[in-house]
Amino acid sequence: MVIVRCLIVVAASLSWPLHQLDSKADYSLFIKNDGTYLTILFIYVDAILITGNNIESIKALKQFLYTRFLIKDLGDLKFFLGIEIARSKKGIYISQRKYDLEIIKDSGYLGAKPVEFPMEECKLSDKGELLKNPCAYQRLDGRLIYLTITKPDITYSVHILSRFMHEPRQPHMATALRVVHYLKSASGQGLLLHSNNPLHLKAFCDSDWAGCPITRRSTTRYCVFLGNSLISWRTKRQKTVSLSSVEAEYIAMTDPITLFCDNQDALHIAKNHVFHERTRHIEMDCHFIRDKILQGEVVTRYVISSQQLVDVFTKALGKEKFKQLICKLGVIDIHSPT
């Protein structure tokens, strides 16, 4: 679904020097570039998305498909795989409001009191009474995972809840239901993909050192912007146990372009040509970031911790900090009263 977000963002303005090809990132994505015009086709089962920067090229592709398949043109994209799309002069807005409301209804929380942030500042562990019906927890968590396609604000909470899918306990279910309470106040929230967008990639990365109370592994998180539009994000536990916060942050830096990090030591290790003895045990594939910097493909920048956008993907935050960060990520609610 990251491909779909990128596809929508670049639709009207991008011209890449590519030949006709299928995407290595997604084999259902096909791109044609004839020098000036770019046409993109995305297929999912029996649904097709077509976009590009020239209306005549799009019409020609549609006509080609008409001659070979029985298809129906539904016009401008409004709804796709549970994702709702709205347009304005400001850009394209994507959300999952209908799917969101279905989760609230099926959980029996339509009349529940909403909360303003999804998770309390606490760490879940493997303690507590096992659920008698784990399937209810697993189904809810699975639905919440799909909701993170357009809701980066619940990504961290869902990541934590997913760690306990095999043996969910009462505290885990209580936390999952709090997320549903939060959805009650944020059902219309989604992402705005700006129409006047500079086509420049920038990324923020961070980690919480030894944040998992069970494995003591750190959690990497990153988010990537195309101009001012958030197009990709992830929260993931690292494969190895880092012995310091510097190592954890350095491992988190193995993602691209203009890279913002709030750890000065990690930035120093990435730029320094000398291989430090204390970093010898870090997996060698993590050191490719240094080569990318030397090649000029990645530029690192320091960002103060208070301005680190990816905090929302790695830790439970209080209401004020949480609202501040999701606003900077481009999360808005077009259904809220003005």
Side-chain angles (χ1 to χ4, degrees), residues 250 265-277 279-280 284 287 289-296:
Y250 183 47
D265 290 336
L267 290 171
H268 177 71
I269 291 173
K271 291 180 179 179
N272 199 329
H273 296 192
V274 179
F275 192 74
H276 296 278
E277 184 69 28
T279 66
R280 218 172 265 257
M284 290 304 296
H287 290 294
I289 187 68
R290 181 180 298 161
D291 294 332
K292 297 299 181 183
I293 291 172
L294 293 174
Q295 294 164 14

Side-chain angles (χ1 to χ4, degrees), residues 99-115:
Y99 185 71
D100 197 328
L101 292 173
E102 287 176 359
I103 294 176
I104 298 171
K105 179 181 178 181
D106 293 347
S107 301
Y109 277 65
L110 279 177
K113 182 180 179 180
V115 297

Side-chain angles (χ1 to χ4, degrees), residues 148-218:
T148 61
I149 291 173
T150 62
K151 284 188 174 295
D153 45 328
I154 65 169
T155 297
Y156 172 72
S157 303
V158 174
H159 166 76
I160 296 298
L161 294 171
S162 298
R163 295 179 181 179
F164 306 101
M165 288 278 265
H166 297 296
E167 290 188 337
R169 299 171 184 270
Q170 293 291 350
H172 309 147
M173 190 62 175
T175 303
L177 292 176
R178 179 185 170 88
V179 176
V180 178
H181 277 272
Y182 169 71
L183 296 181
K184 191 76 191 309
S185 67
S187 60
Q189 283 185 178
L191 287 173
L192 176 64
L193 307 173
H194 300 269
S195 55
N196 297 320
N197 216 30
L199 299 179
H200 173 70
L201 286 174
K202 62 181 178 181
F204 292 79
C205 70
D206 204 356
S207 69
D208 70 331
W209 179 41
C212 177
I214 302 173
T215 65
R216 307 314 299 176
R217 283 189 283 169
S218 305

Side-chain angles (χ1 to χ4, degrees), residues 7 9 121 153 176 184 219 246 269 276 290 322:
L7 182 153
V9 174
E121 297 182 57
D153 45 328
K184 191 76 191 309
T219 299
V246 176
I269 291 173
H276 296 278
R290 181 180 298 161
F322 176 77

